[in-house]
Amino acid sequence: MARTEDMIAVQPEKAVAAEKPKQPRQLVRFTFYKLDPQWYLLPAEMRQRGKQELIDIFTDYERSSLMRSYGLYGLRSDCDFMLWQATYAVDDLQGVSSRIRRSTMGPYIRETHAFLSMTKRSVYVGKNARGAHDPRLVITPDDKKYLFVYPFVKTRAWYALPLAERKRMMNEHIRVGLTYPSVTLNTTYSFGLDDQEFVVAFETDNISDFLDLVQELRETEASQYTLRDTPMFSCVAHPLNEILEAIGA
Amino acid sequence: MARTEDMIAVQPEKAVAAEKPKQPRQLVRFTFYKLDPQWYLLPAEMRQRGKQELIDIFTDYERSSLMRSYGLYGLRSDCDFMLWQATYAVDDLQGVSSRIRRSTMGPYIRETHAFLSMTKRSVYVGKNARGAHDPRLVITPDDKKYLFVYPFVKTRAWYALPLAERKRMMNEHIRVGLTYPSVTLNTTYSFGLDDQEFVVAFETDNISDFLDLVQELRETEASQYTLRDTPMFSCVAHPLNEILEAIGA
Amino acid sequence: MARTEDMIAVQPEKAVAAEKPKQPRQLVRFTFYKLDPQWYLLPAEMRQRGKQELIDIFTDYERSSLMRSYGLYGLRSDCDFMLWQATYAVDDLQGVSSRIRRSTMGPYIRETHAFLSMTKRSVYVGKNARGAHDPRLVITPDDKKYLFVYPFVKTRAWYALPLAERKRMMNEHIRVGLTYPSVTLNTTYSFGLDDQEFVVAFETDNISDFLDLVQELRETEASQYTLRDTPMFSCVAHPLNEILEAIGA
Amino acid sequence: MARTEDMIAVQPEKAVAAEKPKQPRQLVRFTFYKLDPQWYLLPAEMRQRGKQELIDIFTDYERSSLMRSYGLYGLRSDCDFMLWQATYAVDDLQGVSSRIRRSTMGPYIRETHAFLSMTKRSVYVGKNARGAHDPRLVITPDDKKYLFVYPFVKTRAWYALPLAERKRMMNEHIRVGLTYPSVTLNTTYSFGLDDQEFVVAFETDNISDFLDLVQELRETEASQYTLRDTPMFSCVAHPLNEILEAIGA
Amino acid sequence: MARTEDMIAVQPEKAVAAEKPKQPRQLVRFTFYKLDPQWYLLPAEMRQRGKQELIDIFTDYERSSLMRSYGLYGLRSDCDFMLWQATYAVDDLQGVSSRIRRSTMGPYIRETHAFLSMTKRSVYVGKNARGAHDPRLVITPDDKKYLFVYPFVKTRAWYALPLAERKRMMNEHIRVGLTYPSVTLNTTYSFGLDDQEFVVAFETDNISDFLDLVQELRETEASQYTLRDTPMFSCVAHPLNEILEAIGA
């Protein structure tokens, strides 16, 4: 913060951050959509055109972004489907939104939830563990059947603990996770960008394994420092055209 | 969690979970619906068709799922009726939603609340107590007149207690419950799947017994560890066609 | 709870509750309504018919239920009027709702709040104080000019106190109440039935007496154990036809 | 509380409240309105008539009530203007609401917030300080340019403090207030009538003085006992006709 | 507070505030807008006129106010764009709102969030550090690509700390900020004017620097005293006409 209101009072101790990682980090957005019931009352031809336009937008952005689609109808009431996008350019995020809004379906589709985040190296794992290219900075889905997504906020008491304490607790957390090899975790960071601190996204082919893992994690010491971990979204991988068909769009 | 961001830091101590129960567990959904007032302004013939389609969907899914219907009109303002579904296939949950949405009533019916959960063996009861087939993994309603449903979240302090402590408290809780033999409890698990940890569903023919039980449970030690137990839904068992008639659908 | 998931683990200590009171208890509902502005745009003749139907429903249910009407327009923004119903049959509660919904006004009237409860003997007063017929189990309004209604939830810490402690605090609470003889209290119970534990309803002809009483009660020891006591509804007794006239229905 | 459910258990110690003040107290309502966008689409003639009716209602009630109007457009998103009314008769509050609702603008104007309260003598100031007529019981605005209004709830811990402790803290609070002579405070009481305990209304011609006062009050000891003091409304005194013109009604 | 209800009880100790700064302070508003989907269904000619009117209002007020526009589509679901205005006259804030509401787009554009605040000198920096003209009292954006805005409320415990303690913690906070020279902070004050205490607005060309800064600040001691810092808005600088084009207005 160069020109803070208070910057005169102190001398800069380390004005450069030369050791920051140079590898680019991705912007990530989980956007949950719900169709306005008015859509269903429109002529079939217009709805067919609208669906095709939405699929075309999705396909176009697959070239520059990672794009995935998930259905939530029948599992969560406040949304019908979710698009998961990861990209290096904020223009890609704004572009998808702009194109959808200007499409035939635009006036009838609502973003009921959305989580904005970025990839980042974890402070709890030594950077020696990775080479020059850190795979944690690139979203690479396992493309399993289920994705479970929720925003995550830790208590401020957590951040007041010594780093070694936090590392010890995270290690316990990780050990529990490793006993569920069928579940994969992607963690991205939202500090300052959105209302949560992290977005966690678990992939698995086995719902009950995931449920059992989350219940078991409640008993870890780190879990005592959770401030918020809702809303929780159970998502099922489906091609976008099948989702639109299933919700009768 | 196989590919966690932090998995390199530690060695897997028990990478397999061979002792996990093999008996399949059910997915459960409590879905609360409210009719949009616009429905009442549609032609009688269209409404009659819409009602019949909804009843047909319900009947069709009774073949593959457990399906029950309850009326909440006159008892709770934010919903008209509830469908309780239990099944082994997520497709059954998504299928009901998909079929309803594509039906005549689809654009006019809202899911105002929904709770997604799974059956699971309790950690507070020894597994020797059951045979190879554990009835707790299959939803079998008693089909009493009333069903009381609410989501349930415990404080994180609960999970930090030793298991023996928690078992002792649950035993006290159970002893109180046993003094109300007219009330039956179904507990299902939502960890990671939805915003609550548990969904509790009590069946009884006697409302005041249930009220007295819940009040008495407030004095148990376990009750001190309740973080959230609302919203609470008082549901009355009614055939779906009678509910639709009563709400003038 | 006969068939709880955990019932095998313990032996029933007292499986019957033979000492439970035999006198029937009433179901009580406070339902707050708001008219949709669209109603005002309908033809006068249709609105006249709708108003008369609503009054007829109210009158019909006065035979089997206690029914009272109160206006809240000009006092609280989220509702226009409230109906207070007490009955021995859940069918009476559902019947009023069903009849209103199927009436002309049905698609245009919203239940913006509702509290469901039952009458019950207080645990803080010895049952010897009453004869075989306990008047606390029957709602009998004083029919004063004002009714003040709010839902009430105590902290879990309250329920962990010894009964004698709670009785001592309730006695202090009662002593304060007795210094305001112009204010009458009806307490009903909602444990497990609705989102609150109690619904309190104060009747008086003198608003400022009630306000002073509530402020004075803040200083009692019991008040420290209040978790929630909002929303608070100031209601004025009016015949239903006069309310409908006043709100221009 | 004459007929409380528990009144038999104790003897009335002081059943009369003869020392209560005889001077009548005023009912006060701060009502915040927002125009539905549909209003703007109506014919100009109808809108002109609607505006004039609203002004006439305001003028008529100025005879029996204190009435003031404030604009909030451009300062707060959830309302366009506020009417401040003080009267001895609940009929005046209900009358304004009834007349507005039945007017042309009625179906298009929303009460988005409202605070109901009464005037009352402070317990922190000796009653000897005033003569037979206590000006605190009558609302008399200073009619300055700005009015800042918010609801106020203290923690229950405050009410558990000895009165002398609270008086000491209130004196510190008052001393800070007196260093801002350009700011005037009206406090009214809502215990039991509405969701807050107090409604505070500050008048000033100088916004920054008010902001500085509120910031400085954060450091008083009494401030530690604030549970809620939002939403906060910045209001600018304008004649009602000018407000309606400005919002394009 | 000249005429407080309690002012008689104490003597004014310092009735004047002669040392208050004379340099005028600015009023600041961050207003977040969302277009109603109905807008998209209007004739193209009308929409073109509406867009031009909005741009004209923006341009007109650039003469008397600082005005900036930011797009949030594709980043946050509850708004499309934000206007940042700073001015010495409350009339400028109300004027923009009045003009927009009376324009063609008025009935179709919603203010979904807005934060009202003022510039003010920090109590944590000695005033000797500045000359007669304090730049902190005038908003001067750096006009970087990104602006991150959120409301901020500290716990009351913070205000109970000695000023020296708070200064020490703020200095640590500032030292962290200085290690991120690419990020600039504007803090404005909302005490009593709006629901937050501060509005913080960070400018940067580098999103990940900002994210890293906010995460690092979590570990400062001052961070333990944060009560609320959401909702958080990620804004991208765009000319207003380009934003309107992008959202298909």
Side-chain angles (χ1 to χ4, degrees), chain A residues 38-128:
Chain A
Q38 295 296 317
W39 177 255
Y40 298 94
L41 308 181
L42 296 176
E45 184 276 330
M46 183 177 171
R47 289 161 56 203
Q48 189 54 45
R49 188 173 69 243
K51 282 189 284 188
Q52 192 54 53
E53 288 172 12
L54 189 65
I55 292 163
D56 290 348
I57 295 167
F58 183 87
T59 309
D60 285 354
Y61 275 91
E62 276 187 314
R63 287 180 211 125
S64 55
S65 306
L66 174 134
M67 297 286 287
R68 291 292 185 278
S69 60
Y70 295 86
L72 289 101
Y73 59 91
L75 301 177
R76 190 163 176 106
S77 295
D78 51 11
C79 48
D80 293 335
F81 63 93
M82 187 268 280
L83 300 184
W84 183 14
Q85 185 177 11
T87 174
Y88 293 100
V90 74
D91 285 357
D92 282 343
L93 298 183
Q94 295 208 294
V96 166
S97 171
S98 172
R99 290 255 330 251
I100 291 179
R101 295 179 60 118
R102 289 181 294 158
S103 75
T104 302
M105 203 179 266
Y108 301 96
I109 195 167
R110 309 277 174 266
E111 295 184 9
T112 57
H113 296 273
F115 305 118
L116 180 66
S117 58
M118 291 191 88
T119 56
K120 184 171 180 176
R121 292 178 190 222
S122 169
V123 299
Y124 301 114
V125 181
K127 72 179 157 183
N128 298 341

Side-chain angles (χ1 to χ4, degrees), chain A residues 1-2 5-6 98 101 120 197, chain E residues 40 80 130 177 180 183 246:
Chain A
M1 295 190 295
E5 59 164 19
D6 303 312
S98 172
R101 295 179 60 118
K120 184 171 180 176
E197 293 177 344
Chain E
Y40 298 94
D80 294 334
R130 313 279 176 159
Y180 290 85
V183 181

Side-chain angles (χ1 to χ4, degrees), chain B residues 37 40 73-74 76-77 80 125 130 174 177 179-181 183 212 215 218 223-224 229 232 234 238 246, chain C residues 1-3 5-6 10 13-15 25 29 94 97-98 101 107 111 120 156 159-160 166 193-195 197:
Chain B
Y40 297 94
Y73 59 92
R76 190 163 176 106
S77 295
D80 294 335
V125 181
R130 315 276 176 163
I174 292 162
T179 63
Y180 290 85
V183 181
D212 294 348
Q215 185 173 9
R218 282 290 192 283
S223 177
Q224 302 291 314
D229 57 4
M232 291 182 165
S234 292
H238 286 305
Chain C
M1 295 189 294
R3 187 178 56 76
E5 59 164 18
D6 302 311
V10 296
E13 293 187 356
K14 41 166 187 158
R25 287 152 59 180
R29 196 175 193 227
Q94 295 208 293
S97 171
S98 172
R101 295 178 61 118
E111 295 184 8
K120 183 171 180 176
R156 294 292 160 105
Y159 297 101
R166 286 182 272 159
L193 308 193
D194 207 340
D195 300 353
E197 294 178 344

